[in-house]
Amino acid sequence: MRDLVAGMRYLGRGQRWVAQHGRWWGFGLIPALIALVLYAAVLTVLAIWSGDIAAWATPFADGWGSPWQGLLRGVFVALLFAGGLMLSVLTFTAVTLLIGDPFYESLSEKVEQSEGHCPPSPDRPLWQEIWIALRDSVHVLLRAAGFGILLFFLGFIPFIGQTVIPAIGFCVSGFFLAVELTSVAMQRRDIPVRERLRLLRGRKGLAIGFGTPVVLLFLIPFVAVVLMPGAVAGATLLVRDLVPGPDGPSEPERGEAAAGPDRAAAPYGQPDAPGGFGPPPAPFRPNQEPPQAPRYPHQQSGPGSSAARPPAGW
């Protein structure tokens, strides 16, 4: 449950970041607007030709009388257009990320720089980056399609198919959408797509909490365009905390809060000293064994030392 809430917070943090950096929000809108125009053109063509497609797909109904022929082909047109809309929602993010790879790479880089550390991008030409993004998107979409087919058939189960299965479907779509959105920051770290899936499967609640609200919001017309830059920014922040590395959070606050202010600041491995300052070590005498070094490196570190901090990542 905590991961679900944390995922939603990352989405909010991403939207807040682009709201505070308006120029980058406008910069991130460009690929989404291009994708919106392309999808609008395709859906318009589908609407114009849907009647002809229905007639071509149902030749057996040519001899049917009224109203059965019109009813059958009308249902076919409605299902065709609904399927086109659903496919548009599922593929919009992948296509937008593919079109806007240089845009979102720059946006994600700026987010990381503002947070303190940005890992260097792999030294690859742009065409190779786009090819890797395309290949990874196809891999993710094929996996999502497999789940989609399974959920489609489960949807025919009475009652469960109309209540539980749609909710599961939104969660599955949210997970795979989170995989797509985090691909920009993951690709900068040169993490292959199978490893990305493994990382997010290990934190399913975090991925679902981040991706499912995005799926629901993307169902509202034009909202996907407005929220896309913030979704990429939020996914970048999520990756920084998910992937262990020098850019991950040091979390000194969490460790210090758990130990208490005095315990966190105490040197010489004596955390219980009042105010964090224990008594100085006893003087060394010739006939006495030399004092042993602390067993753990973090015990000889001061409060500001990086060795005293827990490893990066969640």
Side-chain angles (χ1 to χ4, degrees):
M1 191 65 184
R2 291 176 59 187
D3 269 359
L4 282 172
V5 176
M8 296 176 191
R9 285 178 180 166
Y10 279 116
L11 180 59
R13 286 178 60 190
Q15 300 302 327
R16 189 161 57 248
W17 191 94
V18 295
Q20 294 169 352
H21 301 77
R23 185 172 69 88
W24 286 98
W25 177 74
F27 184 73
L29 283 180
I30 297 173
L33 288 171
I34 295 172
L36 178 66
V37 171
L38 291 175
Y39 273 92
V42 171
L43 289 173
T44 301
V45 170
L46 180 64
I48 293 172
W49 292 94
S50 59
D52 294 333
I53 295 173
W56 170 80
T58 57
F60 55 86
D62 288 342
W64 290 13
S66 181
W68 305 114
Q69 184 190 77
L71 183 62
L72 172 68
R73 290 179 175 171
V75 170
F76 185 92
V77 167
L79 291 175
L80 179 65
F81 198 74
L85 283 174
M86 199 64 189
L87 187 62
S88 299
V89 171
L90 292 175
T91 60
F92 180 84
T93 301
V95 172
T96 304
L97 290 174
L98 187 62
I99 294 172
D101 186 75
F103 293 85
Y104 293 129
E105 175 64 31
S106 300
L107 171 62
S108 178
E109 233 176 80
K110 185 66 178 176
V111 172
E112 301 225 47
Q113 288 171 0
S114 71
E115 292 295 310
H117 174 77
C118 179
S121 300
D123 188 15
R124 287 192 290 256
L126 178 61
W127 69 266
Q128 193 173 359
E129 292 284 343
I130 295 175
W131 165 249
I132 292 173
L134 176 61
R135 183 193 63 194
D136 293 350
S137 293
V138 170
H139 180 88
V140 173
L141 286 173
L142 287 176
R143 283 177 174 255
F147 279 96
I149 293 170
L150 174 63
L151 292 171
F152 174 78
F153 286 109
L154 291 176
F156 290 101
I157 301 175
F159 184 70
I160 295 177
Q162 292 75 46
T163 53
V164 178
I165 299 303
I168 295 175
F170 280 118
C171 292
V172 170
S173 299
F175 175 85
F176 284 108
L177 188 58
V179 174
E180 286 285 354
L181 288 168
T182 54
S183 65
V184 178
M186 294 278 198
Q187 191 171 329
R188 184 184 304 110
R189 290 161 173 79
D190 212 13
I191 300 175
V193 64
R194 295 180 187 276
E195 180 66 13
R196 298 173 205 170
L197 288 164
R198 187 193 67 79
L199 284 169
L200 289 170
R201 277 200 304 267
R203 299 289 297 278
K204 288 188 185 74
L206 189 67
I208 291 171
F210 178 81
T212 304
V214 180
V215 170
L216 295 173
L217 290 169
F218 277 16
L219 292 173
I220 305 171
F222 306 110
V223 169
V225 177
V226 177
L227 295 184
M228 193 66 186
V232 173
T236 302
L237 296 171
L238 186 152
V239 169
R240 285 178 62 85
D241 289 354
L242 178 67
V243 179
D247 57 303
S250 60
E251 298 184 303
E253 298 85 5
R254 181 183 298 180
E256 292 173 6
D262 294 341
R263 185 181 296 266
Y268 306 116
Q270 299 184 29
D272 296 326
F277 295 97
F284 175 71
R285 296 184 176 86
N287 296 328
Q288 181 183 359
E289 291 185 1
Q292 298 295 319
R295 182 177 178 184
Y296 299 104
H298 72 272
Q299 292 180 335
Q300 57 188 358
S301 302
S305 171
S306 61
R309 300 174 184 171
W314 283 39

